[in-house]
Amino acid sequence: LTADEASLVQSSWKAVSHNEVEILAAVFAAYPDIQNKFPQFAGKDLASIKDTGAFATHATRIVSFLSEVIALSGNESNASAVNSLVSKLGDDHKARGVSAAQFGEFRTALVAYLSNHVSWGDNVAAAWNKALDNTYAIVVPRL
Ligand code: HEM
């Protein structure tokens, strides 16, 4: 990403990244097959798990991962650190049987959440699309 694209992604992420639980709940609501991959959440009513500590813990893990990668973006000297983090995410999720299609679902749900909760101009949308394309080019072949 250019520095300008990275700053659009960073500022829009900052506007929602405190809403960890809402973000994960939106992903699970749209794609129950993702929820069902979690042994502790599989088959449960989303409303009954959303307010639990286990849900908050996992929501924080996902959001923290995204925050870490987003903080590194826009600076070529961080490219190899990003590559290692995202490759490891892919390897760890392959080991759990998570598919590329499910990562695609996650992307769709994340973009839907963002587009409804941040100021979603064309430039912001394009910067996120590029950021996600770059990340998915690393992770998808690992799955
Ligand atoms: C851990 C499933 C996508 C970040 C996990 C775990 C499962 C899982 C089952 C283990 C949870 C536990 O042991 O309590 C899935 C599924 C996905 C998905 C089905 C479908 C798209 C993602 C994405 C991210 C992510 C896109 C990051 C943006 C993490 C992190 C952990 C984790 C940081 C904890 C560290 C680890 O154990 O690897 N995921 N995940 N996951 N997931 Fe995902």
Side-chain angles (χ1 to χ4, degrees):
L1 299 191
T2 66
D4 284 352
E5 288 164 340
S7 81
L8 289 173
V9 170
Q10 285 158 353
S11 59
S12 53
W13 182 239
K14 200 172 165 197
V16 295
S17 59
H18 56 285
N19 297 329
E20 298 97 335
V21 165
E22 292 304 319
I23 294 170
L24 186 61
V27 172
F28 283 5
Y31 298 106
D33 63 293
I34 295 181
Q35 180 181 323
N36 287 334
K37 280 276 175 186
F38 290 83
Q40 67 273 48
F41 304 135
K44 296 192 177 158
D45 181 16
L46 181 55
S48 77
I49 57 172
K50 193 182 161 193
D51 297 326
T52 64
F55 195 91
T57 298
H58 193 65
T60 299
R61 279 190 195 135
I62 295 180
V63 165
S64 300
F65 179 90
L66 289 171
S67 295
E68 188 176 8
V69 170
I70 287 167
L72 291 168
S73 68
N75 182 342
E76 193 49 40
S77 61
N78 293 331
S80 94
V82 169
N83 200 290
S84 302
L85 283 167
V86 176
S87 297
K88 182 175 179 335
L89 182 79
D91 293 345
D92 290 348
H93 283 74
K94 182 181 173 69
R96 300 190 176 100
V98 178
S99 66
Q102 288 178 310
F103 263 67
E105 292 173 345
F106 180 95
R107 175 177 180 157
T108 301
L110 178 66
V111 169
Y113 184 91
L114 288 164
S115 65
N116 287 316
H117 291 88
V118 304
S119 166
W120 196 245
D122 288 351
N123 52 351
V124 176
W128 272 97
N129 195 45
K130 188 168 165 192
L132 286 161
D133 278 353
N134 291 347
T135 313
Y136 275 58
I138 301 168
V139 76
V140 167
R142 300 259 175 185
L143 295 170

